[in-house]
Amino acid sequence: MAADDTNHQMWEKLGIDLAKHDQLLGVLPTIYKQVYVDSQQNRPKGMGFFEFVIGDVHGIRIKELVQAKADGKMIVGTFCLYVPDEIIVALDGVSIGLCGGTNFSNYAIEGVLPTNTCALIKSALGFGFGKICPYYAIADILVGETTCDGKKKAWEVLAKNKAVYVMETPQLKGRTQARTHFIDELKALVKQLEDVSGKRLTAEKLRDAMEKISKKRAQLRRVYETRKANPPPISGKDSLLVSQIAFYDDPDRQIEMVGKLADECEERVGKGEGVVPKDTKRILLSGTPQAVPNWKLHDIVETSGGVIVCEETCTGTRYFESTYELKGDTVDELLERIADRYLGINCACFSPNTARTDDIVRLAREYNVDGVLLYTLSFCDPYQYEAVSLENDLKKAGIKVLSINTDYASEDAGQIKTRVEAFLETLQ
Ligand code: BJ8
């Protein structure tokens, strides 16, 4: 039987709307080719693996998940960095990031979500309600969190469609009671996932999972380190794709393949080999996460004569920067390490969140950037608020800034390109 036929049978068993899903898979390769293949040269050879993974986005990985489920593993869908992968992996589960990066699925949430909802939430719920995401379909449970208002309310809507557990994330950081509460929430999450998986969490399993997930983050960090070079050995677009795939691929395979890519990028830096000419204008992008296939701003910058050398986003440094020591003999002690690590991520959903400004200023220096692009999805209040204050703070720190507010539609791409080109011109 041809691979196409077996895939269709697999998707049908998962309850996928095959006609709509075929349409979705029909447009993705065209977008990928335009953004990644036609407009880039001299990419690292290691990108071949990531190109293969994205080219078969709903094929081999879904087959692996079907098999994992048959082997008794739980599949957990998540939407935020604050839901610890470590706990899911320690319970012999598979964690899949389900944030959506296209407006293709918006038809499915008309009359379900308010129109002034951010594109990321619309996309994610649209994939579920429209039955066009096999990752969503195969998940045993979805874990939401109380970060922004949009998400908090979205889980109520989502719960009508699928089993959802909501973890409470604190709104304030730096207070003892917020930390204590977050630790309690992690314990409650453990209990919930133990019930779903039918397995018990032990300190040994949790420590092993923490080690594995730390290794995976460390490989991404290595790739980022190489982007500090002038010229960078890898484009922003390619680096973004690698981060996006890290949210749903197997962690062991990621350690291996991102590690190989990091080796190659380090070699290229050693030889002075870049993906763009030396002294190409270097941009730090900071803001809301960019889920697959949201490559819009990266594509605009990198087809306008600039290169993105760092992302201060959840699909960038916020994913791997915060760390922990692998210390602790009990589950409770390890959960404290995990809580502190996650509370070190500076998301705009927290108040106050001045450490994010410090992060951006530090990253701008470390990556030797010429300018910062503040990227906010329309209707995302937390990041819109911070974009205004950040613009002032960064300018005071002598950093040039361009603020862009957009969504997943392509209609404003020409206008944004004009603004980006003008911004690049101003960078000395
Ligand atoms: S830790 S950034 S993944 S909450 S874009 S849904 S904030 S209205 S995604 Fe996020 Fe966790 Fe924070 Fe990261 Fe709401 Fe804004 Fe939409 Fe957003």
Side-chain angles (χ1 to χ4, degrees):
M1 194 180 292
D4 266 12
D5 293 339
T6 45
N7 278 349
H8 273 92
Q9 283 180 7
M10 174 174 74
W11 296 326
E12 196 166 20
K13 276 192 197 149
L14 291 170
I16 295 299
D17 175 344
L18 293 179
K20 272 281 173 200
H21 187 248
D22 279 351
Q23 272 180 34
L24 173 71
L25 292 194
V27 294
L28 262 179
T30 314
I31 300 172
Y32 181 83
K33 185 169 176 297
Q34 268 168 10
V35 173
Y36 277 89
V37 182
D38 296 349
S39 67
Q40 297 199 100
Q41 286 170 352
N42 196 23
R43 298 165 72 195
K45 291 190 182 52
M47 284 311 298
F49 165 75
F50 301 92
E51 186 153 312
F52 167 74
V53 172
I54 198 74
D56 190 34
V57 65
H58 289 173
I60 291 173
R61 185 66 181 137
I62 295 295
K63 261 185 220 128
E64 288 179 350
L65 296 184
V66 169
Q67 187 57 51
K69 215 165 158 147
D71 295 341
K73 295 190 175 201
M74 82 177 151
I75 317 284
V76 182
T78 65
F79 303 86
C80 176
L81 288 194
Y82 270 86
V83 179
D85 281 350
E86 294 89 338
I87 293 174
I88 297 166
V89 170
L91 285 166
D92 204 20
V94 183
S95 168
I96 302 287
L98 289 177
C99 292
T102 168
N103 56 7
F104 178 91
S105 56
N106 282 8
Y107 70 92
I109 46 85
E110 270 172 37
V112 177
L113 294 179
T115 46
N116 55 350
T117 299
C118 88
L120 189 144
I121 296 175
K122 275 186 187 163
S123 180
L125 266 66
F127 272 108
F129 278 78
K131 298 187 183 357
I132 47 174
C133 177
Y135 293 102
Y136 178 101
I138 202 169
D140 295 297
I141 187 163
L142 309 179
V143 179
E145 60 339 292
T146 57
T147 44
C148 67
D149 285 353
K151 279 186 170 179
K152 271 184 279 219
K153 300 311 284 181
W155 310 139
E156 294 170 24
V157 179
L158 198 57
K160 293 177 190 149
N161 190 271
K162 185 103 186 167
V164 182
Y165 175 78
V166 181
M167 184 179 110
E168 190 172 346
T169 40
Q171 308 289 297
L172 300 168
K173 279 199 224 173
R175 289 192 183 169
T176 318
Q177 60 268 43
R179 178 177 182 270
T180 308
H181 184 59
F182 188 51
I183 293 168
D184 286 345
E185 279 297 309
L186 292 181
K187 288 180 185 168
L189 176 69
V190 168
K191 169 85 184 61
Q192 177 72 29
L193 294 180
E194 282 181 339
D195 289 349
V196 174
S197 64
K199 294 174 182 154
R200 280 235 17 108
L201 187 65
T202 64
E204 197 187 352
K205 283 186 183 167
L206 187 53
R207 209 177 308 105
D208 288 350
M210 287 165 76
E211 197 173 351
K212 183 185 291 198
I213 299 299
S214 296
K215 276 188 191 156
K216 173 176 139 172
R217 292 187 188 123
Q219 299 310 326
L220 277 170
R221 196 176 300 119
R222 282 181 61 208
V223 172
Y224 268 67
E225 278 298 310
T226 67
R227 298 170 73 193
K228 292 178 178 172
N230 180 11
I234 182 168
S235 67
K237 278 195 271 202
D238 276 337
S239 195
L240 175 61
L241 183 65
V242 172
S243 296
Q244 289 172 332
I245 288 174
F247 280 81
Y248 68 90
D249 197 22
D250 174 65
D252 287 317
R253 188 166 45 223
Q254 282 292 294
I255 293 168
E256 184 191 345
M257 301 313 289
V258 181
K260 282 188 182 165
L261 179 68
D263 291 343
E264 185 185 353
C265 288
E266 285 164 3
E267 265 174 44
R268 292 179 78 153
V269 171
K271 289 190 269 180
E273 192 180 338
V275 74
V276 286
K278 197 164 185 281
D279 297 333
T280 297
K281 295 294 173 221
R282 302 165 64 85
I283 300 296
L284 164 72
L285 179 139
S286 167
T288 40
Q290 296 162 294
V292 177
N294 177 13
W295 305 309
K296 181 173 163 179
L297 271 196
H298 276 61
D299 189 40
I300 290 174
V301 171
E302 297 194 339
T303 54
S304 302
V307 61
I308 294 187
V309 292
C310 181
E311 295 83 12
E312 189 278 323
T313 63
C314 286
T315 37
T317 55
R318 292 203 291 269
Y319 186 71
F320 61 76
E321 271 213 321
S322 191
T323 55
Y324 40 55
E325 275 186 89
L326 282 168
K327 272 191 189 162
D329 297 322
T330 63
V331 166
D332 284 1
E333 282 169 2
L334 293 168
L335 287 179
E336 286 195 30
R337 299 282 92 73
I338 292 175
D340 289 334
R341 187 256 162 199
Y342 281 85
L343 290 173
I345 300 170
N346 298 316
C347 168
C349 295
F350 290 88
S351 176
N353 188 39
T354 47
R356 183 166 161 236
T357 316
D358 301 339
D359 285 345
I360 299 170
V361 171
R362 172 180 53 80
L363 291 168
R365 309 257 184 264
E366 283 179 9
Y367 286 79
N368 199 15
V369 305
D370 296 294
V372 171
L373 206 154
L374 294 173
Y375 162 61
T376 315
L377 277 181
S378 308
F379 307 119
C380 171
D381 290 339
Y383 281 89
Q384 271 173 359
Y385 266 86
E386 290 203 355
V388 176
S389 57
L390 273 170
E391 191 166 344
N392 293 324
D393 291 345
L394 295 179
K395 280 180 182 164
K396 270 187 216 145
I399 298 169
K400 296 210 168 142
V401 187
L402 176 67
S403 194
I404 304 263
N405 195 339
T406 185
D407 59 16
Y408 296 160
S410 54
E411 282 78 3
D412 61 354
Q415 194 194 24
I416 294 175
K417 192 165 171 50
T418 307
R419 291 183 62 207
V420 167
E421 283 168 354
F423 180 60
L424 290 172
E425 292 265 306
T426 66
L427 304 177
Q428 296 310 315

